[in-house]
Amino acid sequence: MDVYMEVERVRGGGADLKSIAPGARRASDRVQGPAETAASSNAGFVTGGAGVQWQAKFGTVTEGVERRVAWQGTQVTTSADDMDDCDREVGGRFRDIERGMPRKTKQQ
C-alpha cells in the first residue's frame, strides 16, 4: 500500500542523479587537451598558460559538482527507502484498524 509516494520512481530519480554526476567532470576533461595545446603553441605569452590554469580551476569546480550531485542522488534514494519503510508501517496500521472494525453481514 503506497500512502505517500511512488517509491520506485523516487528511487529511480536518485539513481539517475548518481548516473549523471560524472558528466560534470567530463566537461573539464574535454577542454584539457585544447588548453594544453594552446599553452604549448603560445609559450612565452601570458595567455599561453591561462587556459591551462583555467582548466585546472574548472576541474576543481566540476569535481565538486560531481560529488554534490552524487551525494544528492544518495539522499534521494535514502529518502525513498525511508518512505517505503514508512508506507509499510502505515499500511500495517491501516490493516490493524480494518481488522478491528466490525464486519457487515448480509442481514444488516
Side-chain angles (χ1 to χ4, degrees):
M1 167 185 229
D2 286 338
V3 178
Y4 295 106
M5 71 168 68
E6 295 178 42
V7 174
E8 289 307 317
R9 289 184 69 194
V10 174
R11 197 175 279 129
D16 289 348
L17 282 170
K18 288 190 270 187
S19 72
I20 64 169
R25 187 176 308 211
R26 285 193 292 270
S28 173
D29 293 345
R30 281 192 299 274
V31 297
Q32 183 175 5
E36 290 171 352
T37 300
S40 65
S41 298
N42 295 302
F45 290 96
V46 174
T47 57
V52 174
Q53 292 171 2
W54 176 85
Q55 187 276 327
K57 290 179 182 181
F58 185 48
T60 301
V61 170
T62 57
E63 286 175 21
V65 170
E66 179 181 357
R67 280 192 310 275
R68 177 63 183 201
V69 171
W71 176 85
Q72 286 176 322
T74 299
Q75 299 310 304
V76 169
T77 302
T78 301
S79 295
D81 293 341
D82 291 345
M83 290 309 297
D84 196 20
D85 292 342
C86 181
D87 277 352
R88 274 191 245 111
E89 182 180 336
V90 170
R93 289 181 183 179
F94 282 145
R95 284 186 290 280
D96 290 345
I97 291 168
E98 180 183 24
R99 281 192 292 272
M101 296 175 78
R103 301 262 181 225
K104 183 177 180 180
T105 63
K106 290 181 183 179
Q107 295 173 338
Q108 290 178 337

